[in-house]
Amino acid sequence: MSTVRDYSDFLTVGFTDPMPYEWSVGKYGSAFFNEIRERKRFLGIKCPGCGLVYVPPRRVCGPCFRELTELVPLSDTGTITAFSVVNYPFIDPATGVQRPIPYTYGYIRMDGADNIFSHIINETDLDKIKVGMKVKAVFKPDGEMRGDINDILHFDIVK
């Protein structure tokens, strides 16, 4: 099966200028990012049925399909559940700049939450990072907080 396609029968439109756009992160996404910006802490949301806590907050519980409304404050610490040291360069869609390599991308179970949160871990030496290690979020300085995911600079390993 070939992935090459012939588009000669289709009208195509090319753009030379960037196409900026905006989107809403919604009610709970806004609460999540405002909490980070204003208090440098995480917000989760708790299911009234099964009691699972999700970070970032979402509208519906996966296992029991209940609507979620109870926001709960969470710690800025967690545990590494998986990670990967990335050595492949790419353009970061959030900044438009190539992310320096290597960097470590990790899955973190925030203390008080039941799911994982993905972010950068500030360690690339495989001898110094392991699944099960505790990490703590490092935030931008107060005057630089914008209310988005980049307000979290990275997670540091707690020694």
Side-chain angles (χ1 to χ4, degrees):
M1 178 174 157
S2 172
T3 57
V4 177
R5 295 200 170 117
D6 177 14
Y7 291 103
S8 59
D9 291 337
F10 298 98
L11 173 67
T12 59
V13 179
F15 292 94
T16 57
D17 294 327
M19 296 178 55
Y21 61 94
E22 294 180 5
W23 68 94
S24 170
V25 294
K27 176 180 175 181
Y28 297 132
S30 295
F32 175 75
F33 288 121
N34 282 333
E35 191 75 10
I36 288 173
R37 183 183 63 211
E38 295 168 12
R39 294 182 185 85
K40 293 186 179 182
R41 73 174 182 187
F42 291 83
L43 266 186
I45 198 161
K46 185 175 182 178
C47 177
C50 65
L52 290 176
V53 175
Y54 298 98
V55 62
R58 58 179 70 174
R59 295 290 312 260
V60 176
C61 180
C64 64
F65 301 107
R66 301 274 301 262
E67 182 178 5
L68 306 177
T69 59
E70 183 186 350
L71 292 169
V72 293
L74 298 173
S75 172
D76 61 355
T77 58
T79 303
I80 298 171
T81 61
F83 66 92
S84 180
V85 177
V86 180
N87 289 291
Y88 184 80
F90 78 101
I91 303 299
D92 187 332
T95 64
V97 177
Q98 182 176 314
R99 178 178 291 282
I101 56 173
Y103 66 93
T104 301
Y105 196 75
Y107 292 141
I108 300 160
R109 184 176 312 280
M110 301 302 296
D111 292 341
D114 294 296
N115 66 328
I116 57 170
F117 183 77
S118 305
H119 212 287
I120 304 298
I121 299 173
N122 192 29
E123 181 57 68
T124 58
D125 185 341
L126 290 172
D127 292 328
K128 296 180 180 177
I129 184 170
K130 297 192 179 358
V131 168
M133 290 181 130
K134 294 293 287 182
V135 291
K136 181 175 176 58
V138 176
F139 299 96
K140 285 182 177 176
D142 287 334
E144 297 177 25
M145 302 287 270
R146 295 181 20 195
D148 62 34
I149 197 67
N150 294 313
D151 286 346
I152 308 164
L153 294 173
H154 56 262
F155 283 78
D156 278 342
I157 294 173
V158 177
K159 300 189 181 193

